[in-house]
Amino acid sequence: MADQVTVTLPDGSQKSIRRGTTIHEFVKSQIGPGLAKAAVVARLNGQEMDLARPLLEDGKLEILTDRNPEALEVIRHDAAHIVASVVQRLFPGTQVTIGPAIEDGFYYDFAKETPFTPEDLERIEAEANKEIQKDLPFVREEVSADEAIALFEKLGEKYKVEIVKDIVARGAKTLTLYRHGDWVDFCLGPHGPSTGKVGVIKLLSSSGAYWRGDSRNAMLQRIYGTAFFDKKALNEYLKRLEEAKKRDHRRLGKELELFQFHPAAPGAAFWLPRGTAIYTVLSNWMRKLTAENGYQEVKTPLMFSKLLWEQSGHWGKYKENMFLVWDSEGNEHNFSLKPMNCPSHHLMYGFKKRSYRDLPLRFSTFDPLHRNEATGSLGGLTRVRQFSQDDAHIYAMESQITEEAKRFVQLLDRVYNAVGLKYAVKFSTRPVQRLGSDEMWDRAEAALKGALDALGLQAEHKPGEGAFYGPKLDFDVSDSIGRKWQLGTFQVDYLAPSPDRFDLTYVGEDNAEHRPVVIHRAIYGSFERFIAILIEHFAGAFPVWLAPVQATIVTVADRHLDYARAMRDRLRARGFRVELDERNMTLNARIREAQIHKIPFTLVVGDREVADKGVSPRRYGGEDLKFMSAEAFEELLAKEAALP
RNA sequence: GCCGGUGUAGCUCAGUCGGUAGAGCACUCGCCUUGUAAGCGAAAGGUCGCGGGUUCGACUCCCGCCGCCGGCCCCA
C-alpha cells in the first residue's frame, strides 16, 4: 500500500506502519515504550537521524540508546549546543562558530573579546547542567539558504553567516536549524530528543583557537568539555584521566631519573644515566635490525653551508625552522644546524658513480637534528628542538618501491610488536600542489598500495595529504591520554634526485643513466618521541632487556656487602645493568625503593645466599622467586635481557 | 609565534590583610644490623623563576622577560 512503509529491524523482523509516522511513535507503538524512552537517536538505512523524523520510505531501522557509543557522541554534540546557549546568555555579544563532538567530549569555539576565566567555566558548567534539568526538546527545522542567512544576520552571527554561505556554495540544498528553548544554531544534526538525555556536562579547559585553524585568522575562545549519560561514567572517565597522568612520561622521567630539561636549553633533553641506558639499548637494537636488513650506517656533518639548503630547497621552505649560526660579533655565517639528514645523504650518494647493481642503497643514521620549533609547541619529549631519528634513505629503482615498502613495514611491525605498541597506518596520496606527472603519481601510489595489500594491512586513506614530492605511509601511536603521535614514516621522493636538486643518477643495465627514487623512512620516528611513548606504554616498568637497571642487590646486613659487591661486579662483567644499594636503611626500605623505581629484579642476599652461593630474587610487583644459585639467576637474566 | 594558566628547599606542596618563609620525603651525620613496600634521632638546606616599578617595607600589588602546563598552528 502506498501509504504504508515497511521497517526492517536489526533482528530481521519487519513491521509496516502509516507513512509519516515519526520514528519515536513507531518505536513506542511497535516495539515498546521502554525502548522509546531509552532511545537517543535512530539509524535509518545507515544514516543517523532524530527520533522525531517521520518514516517516509521502507528501510532498516536501528535504535541507539545509552549503550551505543554513537549515542554518546550525539549527546556530546547536544552538550555543545547547551554550553553555547548558556555562554550567549551569560556573555551577551559573544558570537558562536562551531562546536563538534570529539573523542572523549566536545568543544565549542566562540568569538569573544576576552578569554574565559576558570571561574567563568564553573559558572557556565553549573548553568549548563541546569539546562539539562529543564529537559528542553531539540527541534529540527529545515530552511532555505536565504532564510538562514537572514536569521543569522539579524542575530549578528557573522561566523554563522559565513558558514552557511560556504555550505550553500558547496551545493547544499536543505539547511537545518536546531533549537532548544529560545536558542538556535545552524547544525546538520542529529540531536537527541531533549536536553534531559544529556546526563551530565563537565567543562575541562579553555584555550585560544584560530578561526578555521589558520593562524592568519582571528583567535577564538575554545571551551573543551565532555558529557556522559550519568555521573558514574563521568567519574570513571575523570579517574582514568588521573591514572593516565601517573603514566605521563614527563612525570615518570623525573621519578625514574631518566631525563631532565633545563631552561638553559629549552626543548633539548639532558639524558640522565638511566635514560641514556634505554637510548643505548634502542639504538643498538635498531643497528642490529637495520644491518640485518641491508642498511649501512653513516655519519654526516651537523652543520652545513647555506649552499646545501638552497640546493635542497630548505632555504626557501624551511628556513624559519632552522638554527642559523652566528659569531660572537653578531655576524650571520652562511651555516646552519641540520634539521634533516636527507641532503647530506644525497651528497654522499653522489660521491661516486652508482650502478643499478648498487640499488637499493640504504644509508641509515642516528645523527642529532635541530629544528627551531615554536616555543608554544614544545612539550616533554614528544615535541623537542633537538632529537635523533632512526633515519634512513633508500635509493632505489622505481620498480623496487613495493618491495622496499614491504620490507620496511615488516620490520616496523616486528619492532612495534616486540614492545607491544598498537599502531594505525595512514596512506597519504597526491596533494593539489604537487610535482611530477599524474602517471608518476599513479605508479608511486600503486607501489605503496601494492605493499599494503600484499601484507594485508588496513590503512586509512588520506587523499591530498601526501608530500608535494611523493606519497607516503605514516604510522601513528597514542600516548597515555589518547593523543596521537606520528612515529614511523615511509615517504617516496621523486624530487630530490631531479636535476634541479641533487641530480642523482645510476647507470642501468642498458648502460644509460637513470634517476633513482629516494625513500625517507624511520621506524622509531625519533628516539625522543619513541621513548616517551614507551615510558607511558610500560608505565615505567620496562621489560628486562630495556630496563635501565635490570637488577638491584640488597643485603640483609652489612656483613653481606663483600659478597654482594662481588655478585654485582660479576653480573656487570657479563654485561648486565646491576646496582647494589649500600645505603644505611632497613631491608624493607631498600626493597620499597627498588619497587618504586620499577626495577625488574631485586636480589636479596643474606646468610643463606652467602653460604650457598646464590640469590633470592624478587620480581617487580612482588613475586618471590625463592632462593636460586648464582648461575641459575644469570641464566634467567640472560634470557630475559636478550634483545627481542 | 598566538590564547590562557602557572613558577616557593633536590622532589611534592603549605604560606591569611604587604611586615624579608614552613611541612613531609630525599641528601648529610649518629644510633640500629635488619629476611621481601617506609626503624629512630640530629643537623643542614631557599636571591620565593629573572629584571624593573609602586611602597617606609614586596613571596604577596603592577609591568616586562624566561621556563613549564593545557590548547591553536606546525610536526619525528
Side-chain angles (χ1 to χ4, degrees):
Chain A
M1 282 185 294
D3 59 345
Q4 294 276 312
V5 290
T6 302
V7 176
T8 307
L9 298 173
D11 63 2
S13 67
Q14 296 195 323
K15 291 192 197 290
S16 290
I17 196 154
R18 188 178 47 79
R19 186 184 306 276
T21 305
T22 68
I23 297 171
H24 186 258
E25 275 302 320
F26 168 81
V27 173
K28 198 170 166 188
S29 65
Q30 303 296 310
I31 306 180
L35 183 63
K37 203 173 162 209
V40 175
V41 71
R43 190 184 286 142
L44 186 62
N45 292 327
Q47 199 191 342
E48 283 179 25
M49 57 176 65
D50 303 342
L51 297 168
R53 296 288 289 282
L55 288 161
L56 296 175
E57 55 192 62
D58 294 353
K60 283 187 183 167
L61 180 70
E62 284 174 82
I63 298 301
L64 305 179
T65 67
D66 60 12
R67 292 188 198 168
N68 299 86
E70 298 94 328
L72 189 57
E73 249 180 69
V74 169
I75 65 152
R76 283 171 174 166
H77 187 196
D78 293 351
H81 277 223
I82 294 169
V83 167
S85 67
V86 167
V87 165
Q88 291 204 302
R89 191 168 72 224
L90 294 180
F91 305 92
T94 300
Q95 292 183 60
V96 289
T97 68
I98 56 163
I102 53 173
E103 199 173 343
D104 287 337
F106 65 87
Y107 69 78
Y108 210 112
D109 284 348
F110 300 95
K112 179 173 176 289
E113 282 298 307
T114 53
F116 294 104
T117 64
E119 293 73 34
D120 291 341
L121 291 191
E122 279 176 35
R123 268 175 73 207
I124 296 164
E125 182 180 299
E127 288 298 313
N129 281 300
K130 280 187 203 161
E131 294 295 299
I132 293 174
Q133 299 305 318
K134 291 183 194 163
D135 199 20
L136 303 165
F138 283 102
V139 181
R140 180 176 184 273
E141 190 183 328
E142 292 186 9
V143 293
S144 69
D146 288 346
E147 286 173 301
I149 291 170
L151 172 69
F152 289 113
E153 270 178 353
K154 193 175 137 219
L155 291 172
E157 297 285 0
K158 292 176 191 149
Y159 290 89
K160 282 290 173 192
V161 172
E162 191 179 326
I163 295 167
V164 171
K165 284 181 176 167
D166 253 34
I167 286 177
V168 170
R170 273 191 265 147
K173 294 200 178 66
T174 32
L175 303 180
T176 52
L177 303 179
Y178 275 86
R179 297 177 189 273
H180 72 272
D182 54 8
W183 192 78
V184 61
D185 199 358
F186 173 66
C187 175
L188 185 62
H191 279 279
S194 64
T195 60
K197 274 278 181 276
V198 182
V200 55
I201 294 175
K202 173 83 187 166
L203 300 188
L204 299 167
S205 63
S206 63
S207 74
Y210 300 111
W211 168 236
R212 303 214 148 146
D214 190 328
S215 59
R216 289 166 300 189
N217 288 341
M219 177 148 295
L220 307 173
Q221 302 303 329
R222 174 172 298 182
I223 291 179
Y224 280 95
T226 191
F228 285 91
F229 284 108
D230 58 71
K231 237 185 164 120
K232 193 168 155 248
L234 169 64
N235 286 336
E236 278 166 16
Y237 171 71
L238 294 176
K239 208 169 165 186
R240 258 205 331 277
L241 278 188
E242 284 299 307
E243 289 300 313
K245 273 189 195 158
K246 290 184 192 160
R247 306 169 76 101
D248 189 313
H249 74 277
R250 289 165 296 195
R251 178 188 172 127
L252 286 169
K254 194 181 275 181
E255 286 174 7
L256 304 181
E257 297 180 48
L258 302 178
F259 60 87
Q260 208 162 312
F261 287 89
H262 189 277
F270 287 70
W271 287 96
L272 303 172
R274 293 182 176 191
T276 303
I278 297 175
Y279 208 119
T280 303
V281 171
L282 288 176
S283 49
N284 288 343
W285 187 34
M286 189 52 72
R287 277 199 173 93
K288 179 170 166 274
L289 294 173
T290 46
E292 284 169 11
N293 277 272
Y295 291 79
Q296 297 168 284
E297 186 174 346
V298 297
K299 289 182 191 295
T300 57
L302 299 185
M303 207 168 76
F304 285 96
S305 154
K306 170 181 162 182
L307 295 174
L308 179 69
W309 307 119
E310 282 170 343
Q311 186 181 4
S312 68
H314 285 87
W315 203 251
K317 285 202 159 55
Y318 207 74
K319 194 180 172 191
E320 294 284 290
N321 283 302
M322 288 164 59
F323 283 105
L324 310 181
V325 177
W326 302 70
D327 65 20
S328 57
E329 322 249 281
N331 302 310
E332 185 183 337
H333 285 191
N334 289 328
F335 282 87
S336 93
L337 298 175
K338 65 178 172 188
M340 297 178 189
N341 292 306
C342 13
S344 53
H345 286 184
H346 301 337
L347 292 181
M348 199 176 261
Y349 178 93
F351 282 171
K352 66 178 194 184
K353 197 140 182 138
R354 305 288 178 178
S355 152
Y356 73 97
R357 295 170 187 276
D358 298 332
L359 306 186
L361 181 67
R362 309 179 187 92
F363 289 147
S364 68
T365 193
F366 299 142
D367 283 354
L369 304 175
H370 292 80
R371 297 184 188 173
N372 194 2
E373 302 290 350
T375 50
S377 70
L378 300 176
L381 284 178
T382 44
R383 195 63 192 280
V384 288
R385 282 184 172 148
Q386 182 192 315
F387 59 98
S388 295
Q389 300 179 323
D390 61 318
D391 206 2
H393 294 92
I394 301 172
Y395 301 85
M397 293 183 267
E398 198 181 29
S399 59
Q400 294 171 321
I401 296 174
T402 300
E403 181 58 22
E404 285 305 305
K406 265 170 66 182
R407 291 179 61 143
F408 170 78
V409 174
Q410 280 170 333
L411 189 58
L412 177 138
D413 188 68
R414 181 175 159 195
V415 168
Y416 286 26
N417 277 332
V419 293
L421 287 182
K422 297 262 176 292
Y423 61 93
V425 189
K426 288 187 307 195
F427 176 31
S428 301
T429 51
R430 67 192 79 186
V432 179
Q433 296 231 332
R434 60 178 181 266
L435 222 102
S437 66
D438 286 352
E439 291 71 35
M440 179 210 92
W441 279 90
D442 288 343
R443 291 195 307 272
E445 289 170 5
L448 293 189
K449 183 80 175 29
L452 290 174
D453 290 346
L455 297 166
L457 207 62
Q458 293 295 319
E460 186 188 351
H461 185 205
K462 295 271 189 185
E465 304 235 331
F468 69 95
Y469 49 75
K472 60 176 181 168
L473 301 175
D474 287 319
F475 300 81
D476 287 357
V477 173
S478 298
D479 69 10
S480 68
I481 58 171
R483 287 184 294 205
K484 287 194 169 47
W485 295 98
Q486 186 194 313
L487 300 181
T489 190
F490 185 96
Q491 307 188 9
V492 181
D493 182 353
Y494 283 87
L495 175 63
S498 74
D500 295 346
R501 297 290 192 227
F502 290 89
D503 197 15
L504 307 180
T505 58
Y506 65 89
V507 178
E509 214 171 349
D510 56 3
N511 198 30
E513 293 214 325
H514 301 273
R515 285 202 193 279
V517 293
V518 173
I519 294 160
H520 309 250
R521 44 108 292 160
I523 291 175
Y524 296 155
S526 72
F527 283 83
E528 284 70 11
R529 191 173 281 179
F530 194 71
I531 291 173
I533 294 287
L534 287 185
I535 291 169
E536 303 195 354
H537 173 67
F538 290 117
F542 297 101
V544 176
W545 64 274
L546 205 46
V549 179
Q550 297 171 315
T552 189
I553 306 173
V554 293
T555 53
V556 174
D558 288 351
R559 64 178 176 277
H560 310 119
L561 276 173
D562 283 343
Y563 176 82
R565 290 187 190 115
M567 163 85 59
R568 176 198 60 195
D569 294 345
R570 192 171 59 243
L571 289 170
R572 281 185 176 170
R574 286 203 48 186
F576 300 116
R577 300 183 289 278
V578 178
E579 290 185 355
L580 167 62
D581 191 345
E582 297 199 32
R583 288 177 297 175
N584 183 16
M585 300 194 296
T586 57
L587 178 67
N588 276 349
R590 281 171 292 152
I591 286 172
R592 177 169 187 270
E593 195 78 5
Q595 294 296 308
I596 287 171
H597 283 98
K598 310 192 186 211
I599 294 164
F601 290 109
T602 304
L603 309 179
V604 177
V605 301
D607 290 339
R608 158 114 204 259
E609 289 73 20
V610 173
D612 295 344
K613 296 191 168 44
V615 295
S616 292
R618 170 200 165 106
R619 278 189 193 273
Y620 169 69
E623 189 195 352
D624 186 353
L625 298 182
K626 309 291 182 197
F627 176 87
M628 63 177 77
S629 69
E631 293 73 33
F633 177 70
E634 278 183 35
E635 209 172 297
L636 173 66
L637 191 52
K639 205 174 125 209
E640 297 195 20
L643 290 177

